[in-house]
Amino acid sequence: MKYQMFHWLCLLSLSLSLPLLFWFGHVMTRAGLSLGLRRGGLGGYLRISPAGVDQLLHMHCSQCALVSSSGQMLAAGVGEEIDKVGCVIRMNNAPTQGYEKDVGSRTSVRVVSHTSVPLLVKNERYYFQQSADTTYVFWGPERNMRQDGKGHVFNALWKIAEKYPKVQIYAVTTEKMQYCDGLFQNETGKNRMKTGAFLSTGFFTMILAIDLCDSIRVYGMIDDNHCSRANHSAVPYHYYERNRVDECRMYRFHEHTQRGGHRFITEKAIYAKWATRHKMEFKHPSWSL
């Protein structure tokens, strides 16, 4: 595939201007990556298994339900609707037991932050034995995910993979992490690291969903203007943590903190842009795009 692309670019260089040649190379590269989704697996996600870390994620869904961990899901009553969707995507340690009526019971893919790994390990029998049919995708900075024995999160995941070899455990590659940073900067004009922010699990989940799914239904995610409306709903940050901080209060704090925060509100504005280019709808609450 790479050789064919190079061959065509060489031929085109005889007749195309240099700027146009670079543009064509970019398009061909994107086309090659899209082709890889169907033939060689999904780039940017490598499996962690006792056999090694070199297997791409082989998965494709015609329709996905991306279920937010937001308190907006409380009393949503859409559990049955969610369970009927082909692939159900959840985040971090968001539970289903006891919340089935609102969030459903099935989990096809679970995207997990490096900071939430201890929560899954603490309840490993549930996540990696009872829910062995779930595909797990873990993301984290290089210092935690490095594979030279010094990445403590990667080491923990490796032990889990050895203990439960049938479980599909994947890690977001360093290149994919950098790609996500580039997307954030392209959409906002701001360098993520210079602003002192971290991308959220929701951001990585949304990118995976776009890579993975032909169409996406997002449940329980508020838009970027929700918290500025006078009559906005007051719900907990997570539906399974009733006594924790209010969602909008958490979002405002993270949006304006100078170091170490997530730009939740900014990310929601980015999703609204993506929804105009991808088959995506937002439910409970619905968005006006």
Side-chain angles (χ1 to χ4, degrees), residues 41-55:
L42 193 61
Y45 310 94
L46 289 177
R47 186 176 180 187
I48 301 174
S49 75
V53 188
D54 57 3
Q55 181 183 340

Side-chain angles (χ1 to χ4, degrees), residues 110-281:
R110 188 177 288 273
V111 182
V112 184
S113 163
H114 59 112
T115 59
S116 294
V117 170
L119 298 175
L120 270 65
V121 173
K122 186 178 180 180
N123 196 9
E124 64 177 67
R125 291 188 64 184
Y126 170 75
Y127 288 106
F128 304 116
Q129 193 174 70
Q130 295 179 38
S131 302
D133 57 340
T134 297
T135 296
Y136 293 87
V137 177
F138 294 88
W139 71 269
E142 174 67 16
R143 66 179 182 276
N144 293 341
M145 302 297 288
R146 55 193 297 177
Q147 302 173 25
D148 60 357
K150 298 180 180 179
H152 70 277
V153 173
F154 178 85
N155 294 343
L157 295 176
W158 184 269
K159 290 179 180 178
I160 290 293
E162 286 189 311
K163 192 171 183 179
Y164 304 97
K166 293 183 179 180
V167 178
Q168 301 283 317
I169 300 176
Y170 291 83
V172 179
T173 65
T174 300
E175 293 76 18
K176 190 70 172 182
M177 296 284 290
Q178 294 170 346
Y179 168 78
C180 293
D181 278 345
L183 276 181
F184 182 87
Q185 184 162 337
N186 288 341
E187 296 288 2
T188 64
K190 298 179 180 179
N191 181 279
R192 177 195 65 78
M193 295 185 67
K194 290 182 179 178
T195 64
F198 295 106
L199 297 177
S200 73
T201 298
F203 195 87
F204 292 106
T205 305
M206 186 67 75
I207 291 173
L208 174 63
I210 291 173
D211 287 343
L212 195 67
C213 316
D214 292 335
S215 65
I216 308 166
R217 292 182 189 172
V218 184
Y219 290 86
M221 187 178 289
I222 60 174
D223 63 30
D224 60 309
N225 295 312
H226 177 88
C227 293
S228 62
R229 299 188 185 107
N231 61 341
H232 73 265
S233 57
V235 300
Y237 175 53
H238 288 149
Y239 67 80
Y240 50 92
E241 296 176 334
R242 305 287 182 98
N243 297 322
R244 294 298 181 93
V245 67
D246 173 81
E247 179 177 55
C248 283
R249 185 177 177 183
M250 176 71 83
Y251 278 20
R252 291 192 193 101
F253 170 80
H254 275 270
E255 191 70 20
H256 300 294
T257 190
Q258 294 185 351
R259 188 169 183 82
H262 297 301
R263 304 300 184 237
F264 291 118
I265 296 174
T266 297
E267 290 181 1
K268 302 298 187 291
I270 294 173
Y271 304 156
K273 290 182 182 180
W274 291 348
T276 64
R277 305 194 294 265
H278 302 277
K279 193 172 182 182
M280 188 185 306
E281 63 175 322

Side-chain angles (χ1 to χ4, degrees), residues 32-43 57-60 211:
L33 289 174
S34 297
L35 190 63
L37 295 179
R38 302 294 183 263
R39 292 186 178 179
L42 193 61
L57 175 59
H58 287 262
M59 192 173 186
H60 172 254
D211 287 343

